[in-house]
Each structure stands twice: as structure tokens, then as C-alpha cells.
């Protein structure tokens, strides 16, 4: 395929912008600057724009979402998760599953709708692991039993069984909760049924893929096929 077309598709910029970037030497093909937009390139070549790799097919990123950022593709009221990525990578990306504005942690951004559907489908039973800080102590046994069974969230929304364990005891206990679906405000509503308020919430893993501890809030990284396979490697039947 022509280099300008590959760069335009992969970076989400116009053909003219791609051609200008190529002519000015900002595009490397297998480490060498190629300055003619019409050059024919193999789709498997390693292409970079300003040092950033260009991926032409489906794309997948792990983002450590900070609190205060909205999990949608567009919002007039504030920054969205896409604003944390460089402009040339944003095109067609969306968050596969949403976190509340005040929730932190692992958001998977992709342009692959079928993958997102597979990952989010409750039928696939992919666990979403949350670290939850609560405003008051609670009976672990009572909550473990309640969460392990289908539970009415108060408006007829019934959860599927979830797993709870205590991580830190005290006045502001910290727990780990694994849920296998993604209902609106689900974690907050589950604890809310027992009069508990969630004061901090962070998603730490999706399936067997754990949020990279090297990613500070706001940072992101591309995911490999091995990473993606981990998502589906831990599921309870
Ligand atoms: N459950 C919630 O209540 N909020 C989130 O952001 C994610 C799960």
C-alpha cells in the first residue's frame, strides 16, 4: 500500500497531513526516513510518525484513568479518556466499558467493536477487579454471602454472583471486589444496599490482565496480543 495511505489510516490523519509529514522526514519505515508519499510499503513494515509507532489494524490500549476524567469519546463538560492520547491515535477509539468520573484505573481503549463486545458480555464471565475503599467497617461474612448470590440493586436490577475479600481492616476498610458484568454504578450500588459509601474506587484488572503498576494516572500503553489473551485467561464458569 502507498505510504501516505498507511500513515493516514494508522495515525488517523488526512492524506494531505500524512504526505506533508512524510515529505518533512517525520516518518520512518523500518528505521529509515522515507520522504516520498507514493512509496509502496509492506503493511508489516515498522512505521513511525515522530517516533511513535503506527498501527494500521485494530488497536488496543491500556489507560490508567485518573479521577476527574470522563469515560466517553466526547463531552463538552470536561476532559475525556481520549484526550489523554495524542491526537493522531484517537480516531475510532472508544472505551470498552465505562468507569465513573471519580473512579480511577484500568480502561481499555480500542477500535475493535467485536472484541469489546466479547470482553463485556456477561456471558463470557470476564471478571473486573476493583479496589474499593469504604466509609465504615462492615461484616465481611454478611457481604461475602450477599454478593455471592444474585442481588437486587434496588430497582429490579439483579447482579450475578461476585467475589469479595478484605484487604485492609480499619475505619476506612479496603476491599477487593470482582464482578462479572458492568451495571450502572454497580460497585457503589452493591455496597450502598448495606448503607456503605464507596469513598475511593479503582479498577485494577480485567480478566487476567492487571493494570501495569508502571503506568501513573493519565498514562497509557499499547497492548500486545499476549496481553489481550490474558483478559480471557481467567474466567469462572
Ligand atoms: N462500579 C461503580 O460503581 N463505578 C464504576 O466506575 C465502576 C463500577
Amino acid at each position: 500500500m502507498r505510504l501516505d495511505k498507511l500513515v493516514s489510516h494508522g495515525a488517523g490523519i488526512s492524506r494531505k497531513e500524512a504526505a506533508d509529514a512524510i515529505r518533512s522526514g517525520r516518518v520512518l519505515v523500518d528505521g529509515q526516513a522515507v520522504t516520498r508519499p507514493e512509496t509502496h510499503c509492506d503493511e508489516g513494515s515498522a512505521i513511525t510518525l515522530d517516533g511513535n509507532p503506527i498501527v494500521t489494524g485494530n488497536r488496543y490500549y491500556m489507560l490508567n484513568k485518573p479521577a476527574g476524567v470522563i469515560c466517553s469519546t466526547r463531552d463538552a463538560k470536561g476532559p475525556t479518556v481520549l484526550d489523554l492520547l495524542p491526537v493522531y491515535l484517537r480516531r475510532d477509539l472508544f472505551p470498552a466499558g465505562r468507569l465513573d468520573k471519580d473512579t480511577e484505573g484500568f480502561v481499555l481503549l480500542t477500535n475493535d467493536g467485536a472484541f469489546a463486545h466479547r470482553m463485556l458480555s456477561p456471558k463470557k464471565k470476564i471478571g473486573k477487579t476493583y479496589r474499593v475503599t469504604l466509609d465504615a467497617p462492615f461484616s465481611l461474612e454478611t457481604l461475602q454471602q450477599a454478593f455471592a448470590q444474585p442481588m437486587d440493586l434496588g430497582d429490579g436490577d439483579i447482579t450475578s454472583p461476585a467475589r469479595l475479600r478484605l484487604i485492609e481492616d480499619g475505619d476506612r476498610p479496603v476491599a477487593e471486589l470482582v464482578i462479572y458484568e458492568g451495571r450502572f454504578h454497580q460497585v457503589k450500588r452493591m455496597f450502598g444496599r448495606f448503607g456503605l459509601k464507596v469513598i475511593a474506587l479503582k479498577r485494577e484488572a480485567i480478566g487476567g490482565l492487571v493494570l501495569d503498576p508502571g503506568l501513573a494516572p493519565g498514562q497509557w500503553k499499547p497492548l500486545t496480543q499476549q496481553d489481550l489473551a490474558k483478559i480471557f485467561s481467567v474466567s469462572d464458569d
Side-chain angles (χ1 to χ4, degrees), residues 127-184:
K128 320 288 180 312
T129 304
Y130 291 89
R131 182 184 170 91
V132 194
T133 309
L134 296 146
D135 68 337
F138 59 88
S139 156
L140 181 62
E141 210 187 323
T142 306
L143 260 65
Q144 273 177 332
Q145 278 177 12
F147 290 175
Q149 295 158 30
M151 192 179 119
D152 189 339
L153 289 175
D155 51 6
D157 238 0
I158 309 286
T159 62
S160 46
R163 286 206 314 256
L164 179 70
R165 75 185 178 96
L166 191 62
I167 296 180
E168 275 173 44
D169 216 347
D171 289 348
R172 298 263 189 271
V174 180
E176 182 189 87
L177 180 68
V178 185
I179 58 176
Y180 297 87
E181 55 202 336
R183 296 176 190 280
F184 184 63

Side-chain angles (χ1 to χ4, degrees), residues 98-100 103 130 179 183 185-189 201:
R98 294 186 174 201
L99 295 181
D100 297 337
T103 302
Y130 291 89
I179 58 176
R183 296 176 190 280
H185 296 328
Q186 180 164 341
V187 175
K188 292 173 185 164
R189 287 160 73 208
L201 187 58

Side-chain angles (χ1 to χ4, degrees), residues 41 121 186 192 201 218 227 233:
C41 274
S121 165
Q186 180 164 341
L201 187 58
D227 292 328
S233 69

Side-chain angles (χ1 to χ4, degrees), residues 56-74:
T56 52
N58 286 328
R59 293 173 287 139
Y60 311 86
Y61 302 95
M62 171 186 283
L63 168 72
N64 185 1
K65 177 184 129 31
V69 174
I70 298 157
C71 227
S72 73
T73 49
R74 193 175 309 166

